[in-house]
Amino acid sequence: MKCNLCPRKCNADREKQEGVCRMPWDIYAARAALHMWEEPCISGENGSGAVFFTGCTLRCVFCQNHEIAAGKRGQKIDESHLAEIFLKLQQQKANNINLVTPTQYVLPIIAAVKKAKVQGLKIPVVYNTSGYERVETLKNLEGIVDVYLPDFKYTDTTYAKRYSNAPDYFDVTKAALAEMVRQHPAPQFTDKQEAAVRGIEEGIMTGGVIVRHLMLPGLLKDTKAVIRYLYETYGDSIYISIMNQYTPMPFVENIPELNRKVTHREYDKAVDYAIGLGVVNGFIQEGGTAKESFIPEFSGEGLE
C-alpha cells in the first residue's frame, strides 16, 4: 500500500521502505505517560495522557523533539497494544489521550481508538500536530478526534522552506485548520456533571481547536502575521496559544539566527500585539520555559 497520508505525498510502500516520515507502516512510540506541560485545559492538574509517536512528516531544523522526529527512539507496538495504552492512561486519571506527532500512523490510530472505546475509553482524544496535514487525511478523523492541537508555524514561505523544507506550509496548514474548525466549530469544556461522567477534571476541553505558535527568535514580524491571520479568520471560535519555550538545540549551532532563545522583549511585543487585536481566547507562557528540562525523556515509559 502506497502512503500519501501527509502533504509530502511520498507514495512510499511503507511495508517495504520508509516514507519521508522515516517510518514503516508499523507503529512506533517513544513514551506514553501523564504530561503536565500542555495548556491548562488540556493538562489540568492530573495531566494529559500523552503518547509520543516516532517519526515526523515535517522535521524542522530546530525540532524540539528531534530524537523521536528523526526516528532514533521508539519501540514497535500494534493496534491492540496501543488501545491498551490508551486505557491504562485513562486508569491513571489522564484528562485525555494526547496523540503527539501522529500523522504517519493515522489509520492504525483510528483502529486503536475504536477498540479502546469499545472497551470503555471515555476521555477526549487530542490530535497534537505540526499543522502540516492533508485535508483528506483529517476527514478520516471526524468522530475520532475531539480536540485538535495544531501548530501554525509560519506565514512566510521563505521561513517555511528554510527551516522546515515545506514552502507550501502556509497554504497547506490554512486548509488543514479550516477542516479542523469545520469538525469542531466551537470550544467545549467539561462542567461538573460531565467531568464526573467522564472521570476527568472540570474545565477540560472536550471539543474544539487550540492553535499553537512557537515563537522563533528574530521572527516577530511573522509571529504577528500568524496571530493576525488566526484571529481575523476565526476570532473566538479557536484558542491561540503563543509559546516562548523555543530552546536552541546543539544542531542549530550553524544557524546563527536560531541559535538563541526568544527574548522577553520579543515575546512581550507578540503578546501585546495579540491583546491589541482583541484576542481573548488565548494562552501565554510565563517564566523560564525555554530549557531542555521542558522536553520529556523518551525512554519508552508507559509502553510496557
Side-chain angles (χ1 to χ4, degrees), residues 64-134:
Q64 308 288 275
N65 292 341
H66 64 100
E67 287 184 325
I68 58 170
K72 294 180 180 179
R73 294 289 181 94
Q75 77 182 55
K76 183 178 174 181
I77 55 177
D78 61 21
E79 293 171 9
S80 296
H81 189 181
L82 184 57
E84 291 173 5
I85 289 169
F86 294 160
L87 292 167
K88 284 180 182 177
L89 289 168
Q90 179 171 265
Q91 291 170 2
Q92 293 169 23
K93 305 297 183 185
N95 282 312
N96 42 56
I97 299 300
N98 186 351
L99 308 169
V100 185
T101 58
T103 311
Q104 60 274 17
Y105 305 116
V106 159
L107 300 181
I109 284 173
I110 290 172
V113 170
K114 288 180 177 178
K115 286 183 179 182
K117 286 186 174 181
V118 169
Q119 297 175 59
L121 185 71
K122 56 185 179 181
I123 59 178
V125 175
V126 178
Y127 193 81
N128 189 335
T129 167
S130 68
Y132 194 61
E133 299 277 353
R134 289 191 70 194

Side-chain angles (χ1 to χ4, degrees), residues 20-21 50 80 125 138 159 169 184 228 232 247 265 270 300:
V20 71
C21 59
S80 296
V125 175
L138 292 173
Y159 299 132
Y169 181 87
H184 294 286
R228 183 172 64 251
E232 289 181 351
T247 302
R265 181 177 174 82

Side-chain angles (χ1 to χ4, degrees), residues 107-165:
L107 300 181
I109 284 173
I110 290 172
V113 170
K114 288 180 177 178
K115 286 183 179 182
K117 286 186 174 181
V118 169
Q119 297 175 59
L121 185 71
K122 56 185 179 181
I123 59 178
V125 175
V126 178
Y127 193 81
N128 189 335
T129 167
S130 68
Y132 194 61
E133 299 277 353
R134 289 191 70 194
V135 169
E136 295 81 358
T137 299
L138 292 173
K139 286 181 177 179
N140 294 318
L141 294 167
E142 189 165 9
I144 298 293
V145 167
D146 301 290
V147 176
Y148 282 103
L149 190 59
D151 293 341
F152 207 112
K153 297 181 184 293
Y154 328 93
T155 65
D156 192 307
T157 298
T158 302
Y159 299 132
K161 181 177 181 180
R162 182 184 304 164
Y163 300 139
S164 299
N165 192 29

Side-chain angles (χ1 to χ4, degrees), residues 292-304:
E292 290 187 55
S293 61
F294 193 74
I295 300 167
E297 185 177 345
F298 302 117
S299 60
E301 179 182 357
L303 299 176
E304 305 83 18

